[in-house]
Amino acid sequence: MIDFLTNLFSDAQQWLFEALVQPLVFGLGFGGWVEDAYTATGWLLVGVLQLVVLVAVFGPLQRWRPAEPVHDRAAIRTDVLYTLIHRLGLFRLALFFTLDPLMDEMFGALRVAGMGTWHLDALWPGVTDQPVLSFALYLVAFDFLGYWVHRGQHHFNWWWSLHALHHSQRQMTLWSDNRNHLLDDVLGDVIVVLAAQLIGVAPGQFIAIVAFTQLSESLQHANLRLWFGKVGERLWVSPRFHRLHHSIGLGHESAGKNTLGGHNFGILLPWWDMLFGTANFELRYDPTGIRDQLAEEGGRDYGRGFWRQQWLGVRRLWGSLR
C-alpha cells in the first residue's frame, strides 16, 4: 500500500513538473535550477493535497461540533492567507533564494572537513531501515525536537515576543496553525533542517514527515469539540489537548499571571509532556488568546492584518532585546 501511494505521488509530481513547472522554469531563464524545481513541485503538490483535506474533511468537522461560535471571520481570513503562503510553498521559495545558499555552503564545508551525515535509521540494519519503521523512527525523532523547540518559544522572552503572534488568535480554527511570525518560522525551519542533515533523513521521507505533521497540526487547531478518550489522549495530540495550550491563563503561563511557560507543548505525541511534567489532560474548552489582549489587562494590540502583525512582532522583539 505504501509503495502504491508513493508511486502514485511520484507520477503526479512528474506530470505536474513536466506540464507546468518545467516550462515555467525554462521560460524564466532558470534552467540551471531544474532539479530544485522538481523538489519544489513535490512540496507544491503536498500543499495542494493538504488544502483539499482541510476544506473537504476538517471544515465539515468544525461545522459539525464547533468548540465555540464563529464571530470573527476577518481574523480567520488572515489565517487563511498564512496557510496559503506556507502550504503552497511561497515561504519555502523565499528561503530558497535567501538562506538555502548559506546552508548549502555550510554543509559543504563540513563534508569537506570530513564530517559526514549519521543515519538514524541505520541503528539496526535490516530492521530500522525498513520503510515503515524508518518513517516512524524519524517521525518520533522530529517530534521530540519539536517539543523542545516549542518549549524554547515559550521560555525565552525574545522568542516568545515572536511566537506570541501564534497565540494571539482569539478565534482559533483549522487555518490557525501557520499563523506565525516569519522570523519565528525561519528559526524553527533552520533548526529542523540542521537536524535533518545531522540524522540523515531522505528528502522524500522528510517531505512526507512534514506533510503528515502539518495535517495533524491543522486538525489540532480546529474549532472542534473533540478529544480521543482517556487512552487516546495519551497516544496522540487531540484538538482538546492543544486548545488548552492556547487557552488564556492556562496554556502558556506556568507560574501564575503573566509568566512564561505553559502546558501541552507536544506537536504530535503527548508523551514528551507526560515525561517532562508539562501535560494537562483536563477536559475543558476555554477561550483562546493571551492575557494581555484582554481589555482589563491592558488590551495589547497584536494586529489584524498580515503586515501589521509582522511589524508589531518586530517591535516586540526589539523591545525584549532592549
Side-chain angles (χ1 to χ4, degrees), residues 81-91 178 180 182 185:
L81 176 60
Y82 278 102
T83 303
L84 295 177
I85 288 173
H86 283 79
R87 303 295 170 95
L88 295 181
L90 298 180
F91 177 73
N178 291 120
N180 299 310
L182 296 180
D185 278 328

Side-chain angles (χ1 to χ4, degrees), residues 187-254:
L187 287 170
D189 277 17
V190 167
I191 293 172
V192 169
V193 168
L194 288 173
Q197 289 288 333
L198 177 65
I199 63 178
V201 60
Q205 199 171 43
F206 182 66
I207 292 177
I209 288 170
V210 171
F212 183 76
T213 301
Q214 287 177 334
L215 268 183
S216 183
E217 289 180 302
S218 293
L219 179 64
Q220 294 162 18
H221 288 84
N223 178 25
L224 180 61
R225 188 175 292 272
L226 177 67
W227 74 306
F228 297 157
K230 290 184 178 181
V231 176
E233 287 285 291
R234 287 156 177 80
L235 298 177
W236 203 261
V237 172
S238 71
R240 182 222 56 83
F241 186 87
H242 193 69
R243 185 180 178 88
L244 190 141
H245 174 71
H246 280 261
S247 299
I248 298 174
L250 290 169
H252 41 267
E253 293 180 351
S254 285

Side-chain angles (χ1 to χ4, degrees), residues 96-234:
F96 174 77
F97 286 107
T98 54
L99 286 182
D100 276 14
L102 298 176
M103 300 286 283
D104 289 342
E105 185 175 342
M106 181 185 69
F107 292 133
L110 290 175
R111 291 190 178 95
V112 170
M115 299 179 65
T117 299
W118 174 67
H119 291 271
L120 182 62
D121 60 356
L123 283 173
W124 189 353
V127 178
T128 54
D129 53 3
Q130 295 297 312
V132 174
L133 286 179
S134 176
F135 180 83
L137 188 62
Y138 281 116
L139 189 72
V140 171
F142 280 111
D143 195 63
F144 180 71
L145 174 65
Y147 171 83
W148 286 108
V149 169
H150 203 177
R151 287 284 298 268
Q153 291 169 317
H154 284 254
H155 178 76
F156 300 104
N157 275 302
W158 64 269
W159 206 347
W160 170 251
S161 68
L162 296 174
H163 187 62
L165 171 60
H166 181 68
H167 283 266
S168 65
Q169 178 56 282
R170 304 295 309 279
Q171 185 72 78
M172 203 165 76
T173 68
L174 62 89
W175 304 104
S176 300
D177 175 44
N178 291 120
R179 176 195 173 96
N180 299 310
H181 198 280
L182 296 180
L183 291 177
D184 191 12
D185 278 328
V186 168
L187 287 170
D189 277 17
V190 167
I191 293 172
V192 169
V193 168
L194 288 173
Q197 289 288 333
L198 177 65
I199 63 178
V201 60
Q205 199 171 43
F206 182 66
I207 292 177
I209 288 170
V210 171
F212 183 76
T213 301
Q214 287 177 334
L215 268 183
S216 183
E217 289 180 302
S218 293
L219 179 64
Q220 294 162 18
H221 288 84
N223 178 25
L224 180 61
R225 188 175 292 272
L226 177 67
W227 74 306
F228 297 157
K230 290 184 178 181
V231 176
E233 287 285 291
R234 287 156 177 80

Side-chain angles (χ1 to χ4, degrees), residues 44-66:
L44 174 62
L45 182 58
V46 164
V48 171
L49 292 174
Q50 285 181 328
L51 291 174
V52 170
V53 173
L54 295 188
V55 173
V57 181
F58 296 171
L61 281 176
Q62 281 192 149
R63 294 188 290 273
W64 171 54
R65 295 194 66 186

